Amino acid sequence: MLDGGRRVFVKKGTGSCSFASEAAGLRWLADPGVVAVPEVISVSSDTLILEWVDTGPATAAAAERFGRELAALHAAGAPAFGAPWPGTIARLPMENTAALDWPSFYVTRRVLPFVRLARDDGRLSAVDVELIEDACAYLPEVAGPAEPPNRIHGDLWNGNLLWTDGQVVLIDPAAHGGHRETDLAMLALFGAPHLSTILGAYREAAPLSDGWRERVPLHQLHPLAVHVCLYGEAYRGSLTTAAAQVLAL
C-alpha cells in the first residue's frame, strides 16, 4: 500500500529485463484506450509496481464485452511485426526485432528460437526438431490471407485475464505487433471461461478469415515451444502434434 492508502501490486526480481518489457507492453496495450490494463505506477530493474485490481466472477456479460474490446485492440494496429523493446515471455527473453511479414516474424522470432533452446537443453530430439522445422517451412503457404500488424497481447491465456465486475483486465503481456489469430489461439490452448461468448463477440466486431479454426495449431506452436523450454516433456507431445497438424493443412 502506498502513502495515502492506495493499494498496489508489487513484483520483485533481479537480473532480467522482464519488468521493463512488461511495463512497455502494458502501456502500449493501454494507449488506444480500448482494453483495461493495470496502470504502471513505477518500474525499475528489480521492481514493478502496478495498480491493484479487485477480481470478481467470470460472467458472460464481461466475456462479451471483452470479445469486442479485444477486436478493437487488434484493430488499433502496430507499426510493424515486432516491437521496439526487448521482449520476454515468462522468464525467457524473446526477440522483437521487426520483420517484413508475419510468417517470417513468427518463424524466426517466435517458434524456432525456443525450439532450438529446447533441443540444446535435451528437451526435444533431432527428429522432433526436424518435424517442427518442416512445419515452419510450410507455414507461409497455410498462414491464411495476409493481414497488417495487429496490436496483440501475445500471451493471452486465461491466467493473464483478471475478471472484474463486468470487465476483463489484461496482465502479463508479451505484447507486440503480430497476428490477431495468435491471441485467439492462446485463449483456446488452455481454455477460458465463456470462451464461445468471447469468440462470438469478437467475430461480430471483426470477422475472421476462412479457415481460422484450422489454423489454431499453427498459432499454438510458439506457446507450446515455450512450455517445452519451461516444463519439458509434459508439453513435447502437444508441440509435435501441433506441428503435424500444420503439415496436414
Side-chain angles (χ1 to χ4, degrees):
M1 188 174 292
L2 299 179
D3 293 343
R6 184 180 186 184
R7 297 170 71 200
V8 295
F9 182 77
V10 180
K11 300 175 77 170
K12 301 284 288 184
T14 58
S16 168
C17 67
S18 62
F19 290 158
S21 179
E22 182 177 346
L26 286 169
R27 288 166 170 156
W28 190 63
L29 295 180
D31 188 57
V34 294
V35 295
V37 300
E39 177 190 352
V40 178
I41 297 169
S42 176
V43 60
S44 68
S45 61
D46 62 358
T47 305
L48 176 63
I49 303 177
L50 302 175
E51 171 190 11
W52 181 266
V53 177
D54 287 318
T55 57
T59 65
E64 183 176 351
R65 177 177 176 177
F66 174 55
R68 295 192 301 268
E69 291 177 342
L70 184 62
L73 175 68
H74 291 165
F81 294 106
W85 57 81
T88 59
I89 188 164
R91 61 176 183 269
L92 300 174
M94 189 163 60
E95 178 60 58
N96 270 343
T97 303
L100 293 178
D101 58 68
W102 180 77
S104 60
F105 174 83
Y106 187 65
V107 167
T108 64
R109 312 288 197 266
R110 289 296 180 264
V111 181
L112 291 183
F114 295 98
V115 168
R116 289 165 181 164
L117 177 61
R119 175 200 62 194
D120 294 345
D121 286 347
R123 296 171 184 255
L124 289 175
S125 70
V127 172
D128 296 334
V129 173
E130 183 178 5
L131 172 67
I132 300 163
E133 289 178 338
D134 287 347
C136 287
Y138 184 51
L139 187 147
E141 298 183 39
V142 294
E147 295 197 3
N150 292 170
R151 188 171 301 227
I152 73 171
H153 179 281
D155 191 15
L156 198 64
W157 72 289
N158 183 52
N160 288 339
L161 311 182
L162 296 184
W163 296 82
T164 68
D165 186 14
Q167 190 173 28
V168 171
V169 178
L170 303 182
I171 61 170
D172 292 347
H176 63 280
H179 198 299
R180 61 195 180 122
E181 290 178 15
T182 297
D183 271 351
L184 303 182
M186 190 64 183
L187 279 173
L189 184 58
F190 299 114
H194 307 290
L195 180 57
S196 62
T197 300
I198 295 171
L199 294 176
Y202 183 98
R203 294 173 65 198
E204 285 185 8
L208 294 162
S209 300
D210 290 345
W212 69 273
R213 290 187 187 277
E214 290 72 24
R215 290 190 292 272
V216 166
L218 181 157
H219 290 274
Q220 291 177 345
L221 289 174
H222 169 237
L224 288 170
V226 169
H227 276 70
V228 171
C229 291
L230 293 172
Y231 307 114
E233 179 68 23
Y235 289 94
R236 175 190 160 276
S238 296
L239 174 57
T240 55
T241 295
Q245 290 172 325
V246 171
L247 288 168
L249 290 174

